[in-house]
Amino acid sequence: MAGDVRQPAFVLVRPQMGENIGAAARAMWNFGLDHMRLVSPRDGWPNPQAVAMASGAGRLLDEAWLVESAAEAVADCDLVLATTARVRGLTKPVYSPERAMTEAQARIAAGGRVAVLFGPERAGLENTDVALANALISVPVNPEFPSLNLAQCVLLCAYEWRRASAEVDGLRMEMAGADWASAIEVEKLAEHYEGRLEEAGFFFPEHKAASMKLTLRNLWSRMPLTSEDVKTLHGVLRQMVRWKERG
Amino acid sequence: MAGDVRQPAFVLVRPQMGENIGAAARAMWNFGLDHMRLVSPRDGWPNPQAVAMASGAGRLLDEAWLVESAAEAVADCDLVLATTARVRGLTKPVYSPERAMTEAQARIAAGGRVAVLFGPERAGLENTDVALANALISVPVNPEFPSLNLAQCVLLCAYEWRRASAEVDGLRMEMAGADWASAIEVEKLAEHYEGRLEEAGFFFPEHKAASMKLTLRNLWSRMPLTSEDVKTLHGVLRQMVRWKERG
C-alpha cells in the first residue's frame, strides 16, 4: 500500500477536471494526508493539469492508486465513509466531518483501514457508490448556498482528520479479539445473499429487483459487522441451501 | 453596518488577485457569513474578476466595506483576531480556528463586535496589522507543506464559525422515513431464524448449539436494525424456505 496506512485513504470517484484532482492533492497534503485513490478519472491518467495544480503535492498523484470502480477502491477497508451534499433515501448514519474523522481515527487506532469517498464535481456520488459506505459525511453548509467544490470538501475532511489525530492520539477500541469485516468481506457476503436469493426468486417483481438489491446491499454495509459475524451469516445461508438440497 | 452584526467581519487586508477576493466571498457565504471588509485591494475596487469568481455570493462584494487601512477596518470591533501562517516575535495568544471562533461566538453573544484579519496572498499580514489583534489564529497545517491559500484559510475559519454557532450535533441518522426496530421485533426476528435454522440442522454439533444460538442472537441485537431491515431479513428467510419447499 502506498503511503502511511495509519491514515484514511481519500478516494476521488470519477473526478472530472485534472485541476480539481491536483487541488485535492494539495488540500490533503496541507493536513499531512498522502494516500489518494482514483476511480476512473474522466480525462484519463496521468493528467498534466492535475500535476500542474498539485505543485508541491505531486508525490500524492505519483503514488495514487488507480482503479476501475469504487468497490475496488474500498475493498481492503473496513470503515467506508461517503461525502454527500444531499441526503438520500437510504438509511445510514450521517456524520459531521468532525464526528466522521473522530470515528476514522478510532478505527485506525484499533488497526482498521478507512476510506473516504468523494464524488464527481457536478453530480456527486451515485447510489451504488453510497451503498458501499457505512456512513455518510455531510458538511453543515449554508442551505442557501451549499456550493462546496471538491477540493474544499477534501480540505475540510483533511482538516478534521488532523484535528482528530491531535486529540485522540493513543485512543484504542476494545474489540474483544474480533476484527471488523473488511469491505471485500462485506461485498462477498452481499454477493452470496444476492446470488442465492436470485435463484430463490426473491427479487420479484422484475421492475423492483434493482431497488430490492440496493436495499439489501445497503443493509449489509450499514451494519457494524465483524469478520466473525460475516462468517456466521454465510453459514446461515449455506445451511438453508443445504436444507433445500436435501429436499 | 452591512449585513448581520451578530457575526464576525472578515477583513481581507491588501488582497492581490480579484479571483481570490471572489473565492473568499464564496467561502464565507458557504457557511452563512456575509460581512466582508476590504483594505486597499491591489487592483482597485470594484474588481470584475472578483465578481466573476464570486458567482452566487456577489452580494457580499456589493455590500463590502472598502477602507484604507486595517486599523480603520477594525475600529468598531472589540475582539480582533489575525490569521497568520507563522508565529512571530509578538507576545499574543495563539488560537486554533476552533478556539478562535468559540471566542468570537462568546464575544458576539455578549454584544461585542469581532473582526478576523486575513493577509495578502504572498506575504501575509505585516507586523503593524498583527499589532491590532488581540490574538492570532494559526491553522494546524502540515509543517512540511503549509501552503493554504487565502480562500482556504477563509473557508476553515468560516466553517469553524458555523460549528461554534450552530452547536452542530456530530451525528444524526438519516432515517429516510424508517423507524428503529423495537426490541420485540428483533426478538421475533431472532426466533424466526433460530427456529428455521434448527429445522435446517444448523445448530450442530449438539454441544455447541447453545453457544451458536447465543452468537446469533447477539449478532441481531448488536446491529442497528430498522423495522424495514427486520422485514427484509424475515423476507430473506421466508424466501429460502419457500425455495426449499418448492423442492
Side-chain angles (χ1 to χ4, degrees), chain A residues 131-145:
Chain A
L132 297 165
N134 304 105
L136 305 179
I137 304 177
S138 175
V139 179
V141 284
N142 177 3
E144 291 181 49
F145 191 64

Side-chain angles (χ1 to χ4, degrees), chain B residues 6-24:
Chain B
R6 293 187 64 78
Q7 60 168 263
F10 276 21
V11 182
L12 308 192
V13 179
R14 298 179 299 281
Q16 299 177 337
M17 306 277 288
E19 289 81 352
N20 294 332
I21 302 171

Side-chain angles (χ1 to χ4, degrees), chain A residues 25-199:
Chain A
R26 291 177 62 88
M28 288 173 62
W29 188 228
N30 277 139
F31 293 106
L33 292 172
D34 60 5
H35 185 167
M36 180 185 270
R37 297 178 182 183
L38 291 166
V39 178
S40 300
R42 184 190 65 185
D43 298 338
W45 196 255
N47 180 317
Q49 280 77 38
V51 173
M53 181 60 97
S55 73
R59 179 176 62 79
L60 276 70
L61 303 182
D62 298 339
E63 295 175 358
W65 288 15
L66 183 65
V67 295
E68 295 282 317
S69 69
E72 203 180 331
V74 305
D76 63 329
C77 296
D78 47 52
L79 177 64
V80 178
L81 302 163
T83 57
T84 174
R86 53 192 189 290
V87 168
R88 298 139 187 280
L90 291 171
T91 301
K92 301 251 189 215
V94 181
Y95 294 153
S96 67
E98 178 184 31
R99 170 67 190 265
M101 291 301 116
T102 304
E103 293 281 331
Q105 178 64 31
R107 183 62 65 98
I108 287 170
R113 288 188 173 182
V114 177
V116 184
L117 299 176
F118 298 87
E121 288 90 333
R122 293 245 160 241
L125 293 169
E126 291 178 7
N127 274 352
T128 51
D129 306 317
V130 172
L132 297 165
N134 304 105
L136 305 179
I137 304 177
S138 175
V139 179
V141 284
N142 177 3
E144 291 181 49
F145 191 64
S147 75
L148 285 187
N149 66 34
L150 175 58
Q152 287 175 319
C153 190
V154 168
L155 183 80
L156 290 170
C157 290
Y159 166 78
E160 286 290 6
W161 165 259
R162 190 159 182 100
R163 289 212 314 124
S165 358
E167 278 164 20
V168 303
D169 210 17
L171 178 70
R172 292 204 162 262
M173 174 97 164
E174 180 52 48
M175 289 292 288
D179 289 315
W180 293 114
S182 66
I184 189 81
E185 288 174 296
V186 177
E187 177 70 16
K188 288 197 179 303
L189 179 69
E191 280 171 15
H192 186 189
Y193 270 79
E194 196 172 294
R196 289 308 197 174
L197 288 168
E198 186 97 68
E199 291 180 71

